[in-house]
Amino acid sequence: MTAETGSKDGEDYQHRSVLLDAAVDYLVNDEAGRYVDATFGRGGHSRLILGRLAGEGRLLGIDKDPQAIEVARALSDVDSRFSWYHGSFAELSQALDSQNWPQVNGVLMDLGVSSPQLDDASRGFSFMREGPLDMRMNPLQAPSAAEWLAHADEKDIANVIFRYGEERFSRRIARLVVERRQEMPIETTRQLAELVSEAVPKKEKHKHPATRTFQAIRIFINRELEDLEVGLKAAVDRLAPGGRLVVISFHSLEDRVVKRFMRDLARGPKIPKGVPVTADQEASGYRLIGKASKANQQEIDENVRARSAVMRVLERKAD
């Protein structure tokens, strides 16, 4: 995830990638290695990774957003060590196969929505900006948030908002969505934000009442948690000995998935009680590197979105 300044007039954003140096420090331990930036965004992490690689080093950037791929394509034109793949990191295995890379030395995942996506009103991610209610990271895929809300069952809407947003007033919100869409389609971010504000009886201090609902619908529309589980497994399956998986999460649902996944791998296989085991069976092929890391105060001061970032690192043990 990145922070940006400036406007969309020329689609010329300035970005600051969260935990930029720390993530790349953990990731790159072989300057001649092969690496994957599985969430390319606008290339903040990728450019620093390339700066750490030698001439024989290689980097693959993956992103589902066509606008991000345009930036990736431009980078590949000026640096032959970099290549790109348009798709989700859930397709990581296919992306590596396209490069004929059986293994890689590291994979970086910077999860969630990027600042260019949030700050571009036409993408429909933010309740702070009036725009079409889209929320798709890849606008070529269906449905948009507006299309889903127009047809989804009330119970399904409530379940999504509760599961992915942990919103305790999910049923009230879903009920009002169904009532209002009979009068007029819910097609803009402002319409949804105002509807949620009306439905939520108790407001949290310093938090917009639509925050959880927008997060939930975005996660659902983009299959973020499902893709994360597939992508994590694909990443560790293709790590070379000594290779590392670095993941930056921005909300508790993501971090919970990442934490459990890495912890379970580092612990090794679960052996039923009473079953004799050998030392090899008890040993895990992976280990956690350090503790969960967070942005320092300087980075948070420069980029308020960094305050929720959590970075975790897993390494495949050398043979």
PDB file of all heavy atoms in Angstrom, residues 278-301:
ATOM      1  N   THR A 278       9.922 -39.160  14.307  1.00  0.00           N
ATOM      2  CA  THR A 278      11.372 -39.003  14.205  1.00  0.00           C
ATOM      3  C   THR A 278      11.709 -37.514  14.271  1.00  0.00           C
ATOM      4  O   THR A 278      10.831 -36.645  14.170  1.00  0.00           O
ATOM      5  CB  THR A 278      11.874 -39.564  12.864  1.00  0.00           C
ATOM      6  OG1 THR A 278      11.342 -38.750  11.802  1.00  0.00           O
ATOM      7  CG2 THR A 278      11.429 -40.997  12.673  1.00  0.00           C
ATOM      8  N   ALA A 279      12.964 -37.200  14.425  1.00  0.00           N
ATOM      9  CA  ALA A 279      13.395 -35.805  14.487  1.00  0.00           C
ATOM     10  C   ALA A 279      13.055 -35.077  13.199  1.00  0.00           C
ATOM     11  O   ALA A 279      12.671 -33.901  13.202  1.00  0.00           O
ATOM     12  CB  ALA A 279      14.905 -35.735  14.750  1.00  0.00           C
ATOM     13  N   ASP A 280      13.153 -35.785  12.067  1.00  0.00           N
ATOM     14  CA  ASP A 280      12.847 -35.156  10.784  1.00  0.00           C
ATOM     15  C   ASP A 280      11.375 -34.777  10.679  1.00  0.00           C
ATOM     16  O   ASP A 280      11.019 -33.749  10.109  1.00  0.00           O
ATOM     17  CB  ASP A 280      13.205 -36.096   9.631  1.00  0.00           C
ATOM     18  CG  ASP A 280      14.715 -36.234   9.447  1.00  0.00           C
ATOM     19  OD1 ASP A 280      15.438 -35.345   9.944  1.00  0.00           O
ATOM     20  OD2 ASP A 280      15.148 -37.210   8.802  1.00  0.00           O
ATOM     21  N   GLN A 281      10.521 -35.627  11.236  1.00  0.00           N
ATOM     22  CA  GLN A 281       9.096 -35.343  11.181  1.00  0.00           C
ATOM     23  C   GLN A 281       8.720 -34.155  12.054  1.00  0.00           C
ATOM     24  O   GLN A 281       7.800 -33.419  11.746  1.00  0.00           O
ATOM     25  CB  GLN A 281       8.297 -36.580  11.611  1.00  0.00           C
ATOM     26  CG  GLN A 281       8.310 -37.701  10.575  1.00  0.00           C
ATOM     27  CD  GLN A 281       7.616 -38.932  11.096  1.00  0.00           C
ATOM     28  OE1 GLN A 281       7.829 -39.348  12.236  1.00  0.00           O
ATOM     29  NE2 GLN A 281       6.777 -39.529  10.252  1.00  0.00           N
ATOM     30  N   GLU A 282       9.439 -33.989  13.181  1.00  0.00           N
ATOM     31  CA  GLU A 282       9.158 -32.890  14.092  1.00  0.00           C
ATOM     32  C   GLU A 282       9.643 -31.550  13.542  1.00  0.00           C
ATOM     33  O   GLU A 282       9.083 -30.501  13.826  1.00  0.00           O
ATOM     34  CB  GLU A 282       9.812 -33.151  15.455  1.00  0.00           C
ATOM     35  CG  GLU A 282       9.142 -34.255  16.263  1.00  0.00           C
ATOM     36  CD  GLU A 282       9.792 -34.400  17.628  1.00  0.00           C
ATOM     37  OE1 GLU A 282      11.018 -34.232  17.697  1.00  0.00           O
ATOM     38  OE2 GLU A 282       9.065 -34.650  18.591  1.00  0.00           O
ATOM     39  N   ALA A 283      10.677 -31.581  12.738  1.00  0.00           N
ATOM     40  CA  ALA A 283      11.301 -30.343  12.277  1.00  0.00           C
ATOM     41  C   ALA A 283      10.454 -29.657  11.209  1.00  0.00           C
ATOM     42  O   ALA A 283       9.813 -30.302  10.389  1.00  0.00           O
ATOM     43  CB  ALA A 283      12.683 -30.638  11.719  1.00  0.00           C
ATOM     44  N   SER A 284      10.481 -28.331  11.230  1.00  0.00           N
ATOM     45  CA  SER A 284       9.815 -27.546  10.208  1.00  0.00           C
ATOM     46  C   SER A 284      10.845 -27.083   9.190  1.00  0.00           C
ATOM     47  O   SER A 284      12.006 -26.828   9.535  1.00  0.00           O
ATOM     48  CB  SER A 284       9.136 -26.324  10.840  1.00  0.00           C
ATOM     49  OG  SER A 284       8.767 -25.395   9.854  1.00  0.00           O
ATOM     50  N   GLY A 285      10.411 -26.964   7.947  1.00  0.00           N
ATOM     51  CA  GLY A 285      11.307 -26.473   6.917  1.00  0.00           C
ATOM     52  C   GLY A 285      11.322 -24.963   6.820  1.00  0.00           C
ATOM     53  O   GLY A 285      11.979 -24.395   5.941  1.00  0.00           O
ATOM     54  N   TYR A 286      10.596 -24.286   7.742  1.00  0.00           N
ATOM     55  CA  TYR A 286      10.495 -22.826   7.697  1.00  0.00           C
ATOM     56  C   TYR A 286      10.719 -22.239   9.088  1.00  0.00           C
ATOM     57  O   TYR A 286      10.523 -22.920  10.098  1.00  0.00           O
ATOM     58  CB  TYR A 286       9.113 -22.401   7.187  1.00  0.00           C
ATOM     59  CG  TYR A 286       8.807 -22.921   5.803  1.00  0.00           C
ATOM     60  CD1 TYR A 286       8.217 -24.178   5.639  1.00  0.00           C
ATOM     61  CD2 TYR A 286       9.108 -22.179   4.673  1.00  0.00           C
ATOM     62  CE1 TYR A 286       7.936 -24.672   4.372  1.00  0.00           C
ATOM     63  CE2 TYR A 286       8.829 -22.664   3.405  1.00  0.00           C
ATOM     64  CZ  TYR A 286       8.243 -23.906   3.263  1.00  0.00           C
ATOM     65  OH  TYR A 286       7.977 -24.404   2.011  1.00  0.00           O
ATOM     66  N   ARG A 287      11.097 -20.969   9.113  1.00  0.00           N
ATOM     67  CA  ARG A 287      11.250 -20.287  10.398  1.00  0.00           C
ATOM     68  C   ARG A 287      10.825 -18.835  10.266  1.00  0.00           C
ATOM     69  O   ARG A 287      10.935 -18.224   9.197  1.00  0.00           O
ATOM     70  CB  ARG A 287      12.693 -20.353  10.888  1.00  0.00           C
ATOM     71  CG  ARG A 287      13.695 -19.578  10.049  1.00  0.00           C
ATOM     72  CD  ARG A 287      15.119 -19.811  10.564  1.00  0.00           C
ATOM     73  NE  ARG A 287      16.101 -19.048   9.809  1.00  0.00           N
ATOM     74  CZ  ARG A 287      16.791 -18.019  10.280  1.00  0.00           C
ATOM     75  NH1 ARG A 287      16.610 -17.645  11.529  1.00  0.00           N
ATOM     76  NH2 ARG A 287      17.664 -17.379   9.529  1.00  0.00           N
ATOM     77  N   LEU A 288      10.298 -18.313  11.363  1.00  0.00           N
ATOM     78  CA  LEU A 288       9.917 -16.906  11.411  1.00  0.00           C
ATOM     79  C   LEU A 288      11.171 -16.057  11.585  1.00  0.00           C
ATOM     80  O   LEU A 288      12.073 -16.415  12.341  1.00  0.00           O
ATOM     81  CB  LEU A 288       8.952 -16.653  12.565  1.00  0.00           C
ATOM     82  CG  LEU A 288       7.617 -17.401  12.506  1.00  0.00           C
ATOM     83  CD1 LEU A 288       6.826 -17.171  13.783  1.00  0.00           C
ATOM     84  CD2 LEU A 288       6.801 -16.961  11.295  1.00  0.00           C
ATOM     85  N   ILE A 289      11.233 -14.926  10.907  1.00  0.00           N
ATOM     86  CA  ILE A 289      12.352 -13.999  11.035  1.00  0.00           C
ATOM     87  C   ILE A 289      11.890 -12.806  11.847  1.00  0.00           C
ATOM     88  O   ILE A 289      11.071 -11.993  11.399  1.00  0.00           O
ATOM     89  CB  ILE A 289      12.853 -13.529   9.655  1.00  0.00           C
ATOM     90  CG1 ILE A 289      13.270 -14.718   8.799  1.00  0.00           C
ATOM     91  CG2 ILE A 289      14.006 -12.541   9.803  1.00  0.00           C
ATOM     92  CD1 ILE A 289      14.431 -15.499   9.354  1.00  0.00           C
ATOM     93  N   GLY A 290      12.386 -12.699  13.056  1.00  0.00           N
ATOM     94  CA  GLY A 290      12.020 -11.584  13.919  1.00  0.00           C
ATOM     95  C   GLY A 290      10.557 -11.614  14.329  1.00  0.00           C
ATOM     96  O   GLY A 290       9.832 -12.579  14.084  1.00  0.00           O
ATOM     97  N   LYS A 291      10.129 -10.529  14.945  1.00  0.00           N
ATOM     98  CA  LYS A 291       8.738 -10.383  15.357  1.00  0.00           C
ATOM     99  C   LYS A 291       8.013  -9.499  14.351  1.00  0.00           C
ATOM    100  O   LYS A 291       8.625  -8.911  13.469  1.00  0.00           O
ATOM    101  CB  LYS A 291       8.673  -9.746  16.747  1.00  0.00           C
ATOM    102  CG  LYS A 291       9.301 -10.608  17.843  1.00  0.00           C
ATOM    103  CD  LYS A 291       9.167  -9.931  19.196  1.00  0.00           C
ATOM    104  CE  LYS A 291       9.762 -10.798  20.301  1.00  0.00           C
ATOM    105  NZ  LYS A 291       9.651 -10.162  21.630  1.00  0.00           N
ATOM    106  N   ALA A 292       6.706  -9.413  14.510  1.00  0.00           N
ATOM    107  CA  ALA A 292       5.932  -8.538  13.632  1.00  0.00           C
ATOM    108  C   ALA A 292       6.461  -7.114  13.746  1.00  0.00           C
ATOM    109  O   ALA A 292       6.715  -6.619  14.845  1.00  0.00           O
ATOM    110  CB  ALA A 292       4.464  -8.582  14.018  1.00  0.00           C
ATOM    111  N   SER A 293       6.645  -6.455  12.605  1.00  0.00           N
ATOM    112  CA  SER A 293       7.193  -5.098  12.577  1.00  0.00           C
ATOM    113  C   SER A 293       6.105  -4.104  12.213  1.00  0.00           C
ATOM    114  O   SER A 293       5.185  -4.405  11.457  1.00  0.00           O
ATOM    115  CB  SER A 293       8.314  -4.997  11.535  1.00  0.00           C
ATOM    116  OG  SER A 293       9.333  -5.924  11.788  1.00  0.00           O
ATOM    117  N   LYS A 294       6.238  -2.891  12.747  1.00  0.00           N
ATOM    118  CA  LYS A 294       5.304  -1.813  12.429  1.00  0.00           C
ATOM    119  C   LYS A 294       6.086  -0.574  12.010  1.00  0.00           C
ATOM    120  O   LYS A 294       7.284  -0.459  12.263  1.00  0.00           O
ATOM    121  CB  LYS A 294       4.413  -1.498  13.636  1.00  0.00           C
ATOM    122  CG  LYS A 294       3.519  -2.665  14.038  1.00  0.00           C
ATOM    123  CD  LYS A 294       2.523  -2.265  15.104  1.00  0.00           C
ATOM    124  CE  LYS A 294       1.583  -3.424  15.440  1.00  0.00           C
ATOM    125  NZ  LYS A 294       0.557  -3.038  16.435  1.00  0.00           N
ATOM    126  N   ALA A 295       5.384   0.341  11.348  1.00  0.00           N
ATOM    127  CA  ALA A 295       6.026   1.571  10.893  1.00  0.00           C
ATOM    128  C   ALA A 295       6.449   2.404  12.094  1.00  0.00           C
ATOM    129  O   ALA A 295       5.789   2.403  13.145  1.00  0.00           O
ATOM    130  CB  ALA A 295       5.055   2.358  10.020  1.00  0.00           C
ATOM    131  N   ASN A 296       7.569   3.118  11.959  1.00  0.00           N
ATOM    132  CA  ASN A 296       7.999   3.993  13.042  1.00  0.00           C
ATOM    133  C   ASN A 296       7.209   5.296  13.007  1.00  0.00           C
ATOM    134  O   ASN A 296       6.463   5.587  12.071  1.00  0.00           O
ATOM    135  CB  ASN A 296       9.514   4.257  12.961  1.00  0.00           C
ATOM    136  CG  ASN A 296       9.934   4.900  11.655  1.00  0.00           C
ATOM    137  OD1 ASN A 296       9.233   5.740  11.096  1.00  0.00           O
ATOM    138  ND2 ASN A 296      11.110   4.510  11.160  1.00  0.00           N
ATOM    139  N   GLN A 297       7.394   6.116  14.031  1.00  0.00           N
ATOM    140  CA  GLN A 297       6.595   7.326  14.169  1.00  0.00           C
ATOM    141  C   GLN A 297       6.831   8.308  13.035  1.00  0.00           C
ATOM    142  O   GLN A 297       5.900   8.976  12.566  1.00  0.00           O
ATOM    143  CB  GLN A 297       6.894   8.013  15.507  1.00  0.00           C
ATOM    144  CG  GLN A 297       5.922   9.140  15.831  1.00  0.00           C
ATOM    145  CD  GLN A 297       4.477   8.664  15.885  1.00  0.00           C
ATOM    146  OE1 GLN A 297       4.153   7.670  16.534  1.00  0.00           O
ATOM    147  NE2 GLN A 297       3.590   9.365  15.180  1.00  0.00           N
ATOM    148  N   GLN A 298       8.077   8.361  12.547  1.00  0.00           N
ATOM    149  CA  GLN A 298       8.368   9.281  11.452  1.00  0.00           C
ATOM    150  C   GLN A 298       7.570   8.905  10.199  1.00  0.00           C
ATOM    151  O   GLN A 298       7.007   9.773   9.527  1.00  0.00           O
ATOM    152  CB  GLN A 298       9.864   9.278  11.124  1.00  0.00           C
ATOM    153  CG  GLN A 298      10.222  10.206   9.962  1.00  0.00           C
ATOM    154  CD  GLN A 298      11.710  10.186   9.654  1.00  0.00           C
ATOM    155  OE1 GLN A 298      12.516   9.679  10.436  1.00  0.00           O
ATOM    156  NE2 GLN A 298      12.078  10.736   8.511  1.00  0.00           N
ATOM    157  N   GLU A 299       7.511   7.606   9.916  1.00  0.00           N
ATOM    158  CA  GLU A 299       6.771   7.173   8.743  1.00  0.00           C
ATOM    159  C   GLU A 299       5.278   7.402   8.918  1.00  0.00           C
ATOM    160  O   GLU A 299       4.576   7.792   7.974  1.00  0.00           O
ATOM    161  CB  GLU A 299       7.045   5.697   8.447  1.00  0.00           C
ATOM    162  CG  GLU A 299       6.401   5.228   7.159  1.00  0.00           C
ATOM    163  CD  GLU A 299       6.883   3.864   6.715  1.00  0.00           C
ATOM    164  OE1 GLU A 299       7.514   3.161   7.513  1.00  0.00           O
ATOM    165  OE2 GLU A 299       6.626   3.513   5.548  1.00  0.00           O
ATOM    166  N   ILE A 300       4.774   7.201  10.127  1.00  0.00           N
ATOM    167  CA  ILE A 300       3.359   7.441  10.393  1.00  0.00           C
ATOM    168  C   ILE A 300       3.038   8.919  10.245  1.00  0.00           C
ATOM    169  O   ILE A 300       1.987   9.297   9.703  1.00  0.00           O
ATOM    170  CB  ILE A 300       2.988   6.944  11.806  1.00  0.00           C
ATOM    171  CG1 ILE A 300       3.112   5.413  11.873  1.00  0.00           C
ATOM    172  CG2 ILE A 300       1.576   7.377  12.184  1.00  0.00           C
ATOM    173  CD1 ILE A 300       2.943   4.843  13.262  1.00  0.00           C
ATOM    174  N   ASP A 301       3.961   9.784  10.714  1.00  0.00           N
ATOM    175  CA  ASP A 301       3.754  11.236  10.575  1.00  0.00           C
ATOM    176  C   ASP A 301       3.701  11.635   9.105  1.00  0.00           C
ATOM    177  O   ASP A 301       2.957  12.540   8.719  1.00  0.00           O
ATOM    178  CB  ASP A 301       4.877  11.998  11.273  1.00  0.00           C
ATOM    179  CG  ASP A 301       4.819  11.868  12.795  1.00  0.00           C
ATOM    180  OD1 ASP A 301       3.739  11.498  13.309  1.00  0.00           O
ATOM    181  OD2 ASP A 301       5.840  12.116  13.450  1.00  0.00           O
TER     182      ASP A 301
END
